[in-house]
Amino acid sequence: MVTDFRGADGTTGTHRFRTVLVSGTKHPYRTWTFLVLPPEVAGNWGPGPKAVRGSISGHEFRGTASRGEGVLRVPIAREFRELAGLACGDTVDVI
């Protein structure tokens, strides 16, 4: 799976990395799925939530990367996961 991932304002450039879609560990996030940004990418973005956009398997998404459970992460909606054929635990290449 290939994902194009950049800041929604276009000024942050394109980041490339591989990550696993994970669920949250605390209530109410246990039923959610997140794309976690690796520390080397998250560290470049500074504090606060960031608007992001991208595509996974050719399906476009928009979201907000924010800190939770010690990492910078983007929630991936169930409807989007179903459309793109993704599940928690899947590895995705992020470009």
Side-chain angles (χ1 to χ4, degrees):
M1 294 173 209
V2 177
T3 304
D4 179 32
F5 191 85
R6 64 178 69 94
D9 61 3
T11 60
T12 59
T14 299
H15 301 281
R16 296 172 185 253
F17 57 92
R18 177 170 281 181
T19 191
V20 176
L21 299 179
V22 299
S23 64
T25 60
K26 297 180 182 176
H27 180 73
Y29 305 109
R30 290 185 188 123
T31 60
W32 294 29
T33 300
F34 297 93
L35 185 156
V36 176
L37 281 74
E40 59 272 12
V41 174
N44 292 335
W45 282 21
K50 306 293 183 211
V52 296
R53 65 180 178 192
S55 64
I56 298 176
S57 298
H59 302 282
E60 294 188 8
F61 73 93
R62 291 181 182 265
T64 302
S66 59
R67 297 213 181 268
E69 300 181 357
V71 295
L72 187 61
R73 62 191 184 174
V74 179
I76 304 296
R78 178 182 341 154
E79 295 82 10
F80 180 84
R81 289 191 328 266
E82 290 171 355
L83 179 68
L86 299 171
C88 189
D90 285 352
T91 298
V92 294
D93 291 318
V94 180
I95 304 173

